[in-house]
Amino acid sequence: MKIEADGFEFDFSDALDAFRFDEQDTTQPHFHGLSHAMKAVDLVVELPTDYLFIEVKDFHAADDYNFKSAISAAQREDRQAHFKHLREVLKHMFSDTWLYRWAEGKADKPIRYLCLVTLDNALLSVMRKELINQLPVGLAGARWSGALAQSCVVVNLERWNTNFPRWPVARVSK
């Protein structure tokens, strides 16, 4: 099952279903009519044992987020602001999608959040740690009977294909 999102083609050969969450065609089975107040991930993939929520961000100016390579305090502050904004966007994409799926009765399997972003390796690790703290991942409270997310992974294209060889992804030729 192949599906495209934001210039990338994913191959989920073992999926039960895979679809663009923001489907705009009202005749399609996965049309959601998304609220303007809520966000959603790019793809939802149903596997036999869990769901994948996948967000794709392909940056034309990835250095705008790389606060580690800033050459001045002002540049570092500006880049950190971009990075924090990205974290907030990724966090809300997951939580809003989770709420949509819960309301549809489709939060009935463990959910893994996978973010494919075109950032360098050092920033991927920082973003993953921040998202795990923000979402939360796993059982976050003593009274919780289930986790919102089983895991959160932030990777670039190279790391995606290394970590998930059974779900290869490639850039779409234009």
Side-chain angles (χ1 to χ4, degrees):
M1 185 173 302
K2 292 186 178 183
I3 188 165
E4 287 186 29
D6 292 342
F8 294 92
E9 182 179 72
F10 296 81
D11 185 354
F12 295 103
S13 59
D14 58 345
L16 301 176
D17 197 8
F19 60 92
R20 292 189 53 85
F21 199 85
D22 65 351
E23 176 61 59
Q24 298 299 309
D25 184 346
T26 58
T27 65
Q28 295 300 310
H30 293 296
F31 169 74
H32 282 91
L34 300 177
S35 163
H36 296 291
M38 293 175 64
K39 302 196 179 291
V41 297
D42 291 308
L43 302 173
V44 172
V45 178
E46 182 179 2
L47 301 172
T49 58
D50 52 0
Y51 293 107
L52 306 177
F53 287 6
I54 300 171
E55 180 58 27
V56 179
K57 294 286 184 212
D58 187 7
F59 301 108
H60 299 288
D63 281 345
D64 288 351
Y65 300 86
N66 193 350
F67 59 88
K68 292 183 173 210
S69 69
I71 57 174
S72 69
Q75 187 181 57
R76 181 178 177 85
E77 187 176 310
D78 184 53
R79 289 179 178 186
Q80 281 181 316
H82 280 89
F83 188 83
K84 288 178 182 178
H85 176 73
L86 174 60
R87 181 200 63 214
E88 292 300 302
V89 167
L90 293 173
K91 176 177 75 172
H92 290 290
M93 296 255 183
F94 174 86
S95 60
D96 288 357
T97 304
W98 190 94
L99 187 57
Y100 277 118
R101 298 293 284 171
W102 173 82
E104 294 174 331
K106 298 287 186 175
D108 55 335
K109 296 179 186 181
I111 298 168
R112 294 190 279 162
Y113 189 28
L114 309 177
C115 300
L116 172 61
V117 294
T118 54
L119 296 176
D120 72 23
N121 290 336
L123 291 177
L124 298 173
S125 177
V126 175
M127 181 60 74
R128 180 182 174 273
K129 288 176 186 173
E130 290 200 19
L131 277 175
I132 285 172
N133 288 329
Q134 294 275 322
L135 283 177
V137 173
L139 294 177
R143 298 180 61 189
W144 288 32
S145 62
L148 295 181
Q150 289 298 109
S151 63
C152 175
V153 177
V154 182
V155 293
N156 54 25
L157 180 60
E158 178 186 345
R159 284 192 172 184
W160 177 287
N161 285 319
T162 299
N163 290 313
F164 308 115
R166 70 180 202 201
W167 307 317
V169 64
R171 284 193 180 275
V172 177
S173 303
K174 293 185 179 190

